[in-house]
Amino acid sequence: MANVKVTARVKTIEYAIRDIIVHAREIAKTGKKIFYLNIGDPVAFDFSTPPHVRQALSKAVEEGANNYSPSEGLPELRQAVAEKERRINGVNISAEDVIVTSGISEGIQMTMAALIDEGDEILLPGPSYPPYISYTKFFGGKPITYETVEENGWQPNINDLRRKISNRTRGIVIINPNNPCGALYGEKIVKQIIDIAGEHDLLILSDEIYDQITYTENFVSTAHLAKDVPVVGLNGFSKVHLMTGWRLGYLYFHDPRNQLQELKQCIEKEGRIRICANTPVQKAGIAALNGPQDHVKDLVRRLRQRRDYAWKRLNEIEGLSCAKPEGAFYVFPKIHAVGSKWKTDLEFALDLLKETGVLFVHGSGFDPIYGAGHIRGVFLPPVETLEQAFNEVERFMKKKRPTVANAC
């Protein structure tokens, strides 16, 4: 028999958002209805990719745009991204500062591969989007989460961030609006993080894929505020432009002091060995950025209604509490009886799933420190579906009430 050995690094890979689906599939085999509140995919519910974007993809295929494209991305798409960032986010970049990726996840992977050597550290908001943690570990680095404060709407604890900088720190990640908490960082907070990065000569990685999905205040881009601090922006088409399965994203380099050229060149090399992003989808991406934008306002309007319902309903269920999301489309409620009725948030999520069919993601999958004792869900389904799911959650919590009440 062949002696097939797998690497230690690949054994460490985790992605809680999809790992938990394995359990849901087993329960679905019994005939139980599953309420999938785990994945941030609006198109899986009642949101549709805009018609002009779908038409652009069909046209690209029919007109022969089926060849390899430049590894950095189609020039027209890179230009459209630069214009979008200036128009929407006030970020002054050129087409040459943009690299097109197969979704924002590939951008995270390529950036971490170029930044991280064995033992290097990256500062991440805690809780955080799991690929930042997983890719940091994969390349031999150490993810260090800085506290975000639930009682303050999951805003970063600036003092904690500052304390955690070391001589191994290679960069600071900002996820704004935040996944998994739905926090929206205001200008003051972002400026404070920029100032800390400037003091320590650190790069900022700014994940802004939910930049146009906010409910009260407007989003402010990190690169717009960072006058002399280098920023790698990460963004994509999945959320705002409802192109989740199309896998199209981009990186851009805000480089006011010419410090990112080597990093950019190395990421471009990574891009070459994977050839290119999907060419016809890139053509559709141009249409998404340059075509009608009416769907964005409608998307936010519908999501605000669902946000309001989900937040109110969760806070009415005894044993749960939830900060109000101000961006993206996630809720991150606290389970007060973790540590008593349930040993961990994963145990709670699996117990809830088995009894009700409601699928949340355990909060520790987003950070074992600051995510523990929570679950993450989406408020993407119609209110009628959310109502059914939360009715199940409420019945479940009432059933557990005697122990929950004592624990609280």
Side-chain angles (χ1 to χ4, degrees):
M1 290 180 64
N3 182 18
V4 180
K5 177 182 177 294
V6 299
T7 63
R9 67 175 175 270
V10 80
K11 293 179 183 179
T12 68
I13 293 175
E14 295 178 348
Y15 189 53
I17 298 166
R18 286 181 176 263
D19 290 346
I20 202 164
I21 294 176
V22 175
H23 301 280
R25 286 175 181 156
E26 290 303 310
I27 292 169
K29 290 177 183 177
T30 68
K32 181 181 283 290
K33 179 180 179 179
I34 306 297
F35 295 90
Y36 289 95
L37 303 184
N38 61 313
I39 294 180
D41 185 353
V43 188
F45 298 98
D46 59 338
F47 298 92
S48 299
T49 310
H52 67 281
V53 179
R54 302 198 303 267
Q55 291 161 11
L57 177 63
S58 299
K59 181 179 179 183
V61 171
E62 291 302 322
E63 292 185 353
N66 302 304
N67 53 293
Y68 292 135
S69 49
S71 295
E72 300 82 7
L74 289 171
E76 315 94 276
L77 178 55
R78 297 169 77 195
Q79 182 62 41
V81 167
E83 291 173 359
K84 174 260 179 177
E85 287 297 333
R86 281 196 295 271
R87 181 177 70 251
I88 300 296
N89 292 328
V91 177
N92 187 24
I93 53 172
S94 69
E96 288 69 34
D97 297 318
V98 176
I99 296 176
V100 177
T101 60
S102 297
I104 197 170
S105 298
E106 185 184 55
I108 298 169
Q109 178 184 7
M110 294 164 73
T111 303
M112 292 304 184
L115 275 180
I116 299 295
D117 275 322
E118 192 73 30
D120 288 342
E121 298 174 356
I122 292 287
L123 285 173
L124 310 168
S128 195
Y129 181 51
Y132 287 99
I133 297 172
S134 295
Y135 279 128
T136 300
K137 291 180 179 178
F138 187 80
F139 294 112
K142 185 177 181 181
I144 305 292
T145 50
Y146 56 87
E147 181 186 25
T148 62
V149 183
E150 183 172 11
E151 296 76 15
N152 191 29
W154 295 105
Q155 295 296 306
N157 179 340
I158 296 299
N159 291 329
D160 187 62
L161 189 160
R162 186 187 296 275
R163 279 193 300 269
K164 288 176 175 172
I165 292 173
S166 75
N167 59 4
R168 299 309 302 264
T169 305
R170 295 293 172 262
I172 301 171
V173 174
I174 298 174
I175 303 174
N176 186 30
N178 181 269
N179 175 9
C181 302
L184 177 64
Y185 303 165
E187 183 172 329
K188 181 180 178 181
I189 285 284
V190 176
K191 279 184 174 178
Q192 287 176 321
I193 298 175
I194 291 168
D195 289 343
I196 292 172
E199 291 169 24
H200 295 272
D201 294 322
L202 292 173
L203 166 70
I204 294 178
L205 307 178
S206 191
D207 185 326
E208 302 178 354
I209 196 165
Y210 302 97
D211 56 358
Q212 296 182 67
I213 304 177
T214 64
Y215 305 111
T216 50
E217 300 177 26
N218 291 327
F219 163 80
V220 181
S221 173
T222 304
H224 173 70
L225 299 174
K227 304 307 179 186
D228 58 358
V229 171
V231 176
V232 174
L234 300 102
N235 211 319
F237 295 76
S238 292
K239 314 301 184 179
V240 172
H241 296 287
L242 301 170
M243 296 167 62
T244 49
W246 300 39
R247 309 314 302 131
L248 188 64
Y250 60 88
L251 302 171
Y252 69 77
F253 299 84
H254 167 74
D255 192 13
R257 295 192 293 178
N258 202 33
Q259 297 171 280
L260 299 182
Q261 286 308 301
E262 185 178 22
L263 177 66
K264 179 173 179 286
Q265 289 166 7
C266 289
I267 292 176
E268 287 173 345
K269 288 180 182 180
E270 292 183 70
R272 290 174 199 140
I273 63 172
R274 62 79 159 111
I275 313 299
C276 66
N278 184 304
T279 302
V281 168
Q282 289 189 67
K283 290 282 189 178
I286 297 167
L289 295 179
N290 293 343
Q293 303 295 306
D294 300 348
H295 73 279
V296 178
K297 185 178 292 186
D298 181 64
L299 170 69
V300 173
R301 178 187 60 80
R302 293 164 67 192
L303 286 175
R304 182 184 287 110
Q305 179 191 20
R306 299 172 195 200
R307 185 277 307 257
D308 291 346
Y309 175 80
W311 173 69
K312 180 176 182 292
R313 189 69 195 277
L314 283 167
N315 282 301
E316 290 172 346
I317 297 174
E318 186 176 347
L320 300 178
S321 61
C322 186
K324 193 172 190 177
E326 299 296 350
F329 34 65
Y330 306 104
V331 284
F332 201 68
K334 183 176 182 178
I335 312 129
H336 294 283
V338 165
S340 54
K341 175 65 181 177
W342 299 276
K343 291 180 181 178
T344 66
D345 49 88
L346 176 57
E347 184 180 298
F348 173 88
L350 293 178
D351 192 13
L352 178 69
L353 172 64
K354 288 172 185 175
E355 291 208 21
T356 69
V358 179
L359 180 60
F360 285 95
V361 187
H362 49 293
S364 56
F366 299 87
D367 178 25
I369 302 171
Y370 301 113
H374 295 77
I375 48 175
R376 192 203 74 166
V378 300
F379 49 83
L380 290 166
V383 167
E384 295 76 19
T385 304
L386 290 172
E387 183 178 17
Q388 293 175 40
F390 291 142
N391 284 346
E392 293 294 331
V393 175
E394 187 168 28
R395 278 193 286 269
F396 174 82
M397 296 300 289
K398 284 180 178 178
K399 181 179 177 182
K400 311 290 182 177
R401 181 176 288 169
T403 307
V404 171
N406 292 335
C408 293

